[in-house]
Amino acid sequence: MDTDHTGLRERKKQQTRIALSWAAIRLTVERGFDNVRIEDIAAEAGVSTRTFSNYFGSKGEAIVARHHDRARAIAAELRARPAGEPIWDAITHAALEGFALGEPVPDGQAATQDWIEGLRLMVAEPTLQGEFQKAGAAAEAEFALAVAERTGTDAARDVYPRLVAGVVGAAINVVTQQWLVADPRPSLEDVLRDVFGRLAAGLPEPR
C-alpha cells in the first residue's frame, strides 16, 4: 500500500511539473519572455507560486524542462531497445518515442503561424540560452551513459559514447529548428526520420 501511495504521489508531482512547464511555454510564446511572471505561470497551472518554487528556480528552468524531459525519455528508450539492433536504428526509434512526448504545441493547440513565430522567438531568447545549454549538457551526459551501456564502452574515458551523445544532441536541435522553419511544415516525425537517416547513412553529401 505504501508503494502504491508513493507511486501515486510521484505521478502527481510529475504531472504538476509538466503542467508548470507547459504553462511557462504557452505564456512565453503568447506574450514574450519578458512579459511573463512566475505568478502568471503558477496561476495558469492552477498552483501557488510556492509550489512553482518547489519545482523550478526560474521561469527559464520551467520552459526548458520539456526539452530535458524529452532527452531523458530518448535515453530511457534507447536502454529498452533490443540488444542486437544496429545502434543508429535503435537511436532513431528511441528518438521517435522521445518526441512522442508531443510536438512543441501544448494541449493539442493548432500550430498556427502566430504560435510558430512565438516559438521561434522563445527558442532564440538570449536569456534562455544558458538554460538550454545546461539542459543539453545534462541530456548528453545521460545519453552517453545509455550508449556506453549498449556498446560496452566507458562514458567517462571512451570517445564513442560521448561523440554519439554529442551528435544526437545536435541532431535533436536541428530537428526542432528545421520543423520551425520548414514551409510547408512537415510532421516532426518526418523531419526526425530525415535527420537521423542521414546520420545512419554517414552524412553523405547532398546530390
Side-chain angles (χ1 to χ4, degrees):
M1 183 63 68
D2 287 345
T3 301
D4 291 341
H5 282 305
T6 300
L8 178 61
R9 185 165 60 248
E10 289 303 313
R11 286 195 297 273
K12 286 184 176 179
K13 287 172 64 176
Q14 180 64 6
Q15 289 169 358
T16 300
R17 183 176 182 276
I18 291 170
L20 284 166
S21 183
W22 270 135
I25 292 169
R26 182 166 51 248
L27 292 176
T28 299
V29 168
E30 292 173 354
R31 304 179 186 178
F33 183 79
D34 292 335
N35 298 319
V36 177
R37 304 172 304 162
I38 288 175
E39 291 84 353
D40 300 327
I41 298 169
E44 181 78 2
V47 301
S48 67
T49 53
R50 181 176 180 179
T51 296
F52 177 96
S53 299
N54 289 337
Y55 289 87
F56 302 112
S58 68
K59 60 183 179 181
E61 283 186 16
I63 290 169
V64 173
R66 295 305 288 154
H67 175 74
H68 194 193
D69 286 350
R70 176 174 285 119
R72 291 178 63 188
I74 293 172
E77 184 62 27
L78 178 61
R79 288 184 169 98
R81 297 301 303 173
E85 189 174 33
I87 184 68
W88 283 106
D89 288 348
I91 289 172
T92 300
H93 286 297
L96 286 168
E97 288 297 319
F99 270 87
L101 285 174
E103 295 189 354
V105 182
D107 300 336
Q109 179 174 341
T112 64
Q113 190 56 44
D114 286 346
W115 174 266
I116 296 300
E117 184 58 32
L119 196 60
R120 287 176 185 161
L121 291 174
M122 185 191 76
V123 171
E125 169 61 45
T127 309
L128 289 176
Q129 296 313 301
E131 295 293 346
F132 277 119
Q133 289 173 7
K134 285 193 294 184
E140 284 187 21
E142 187 165 355
F143 201 81
L145 288 173
V147 173
E149 291 170 15
R150 187 176 185 85
T151 58
T153 53
D154 188 324
R157 294 184 300 178
D158 294 330
V159 168
Y160 187 79
R162 289 182 286 118
L163 179 60
V164 171
V167 170
V168 170
I172 290 172
N173 288 335
V174 169
V175 167
T176 302
Q177 293 289 343
Q178 184 65 19
W179 183 81
L180 285 172
V181 301
D183 185 19
R185 187 165 296 102
S187 69
L188 266 174
E189 178 178 342
D190 287 344
V191 179
L192 188 149
R193 287 188 181 279
D194 178 34
V195 169
F196 281 84
R198 292 170 189 258
L199 290 174
L203 280 181
E205 291 186 24
R207 294 186 178 183

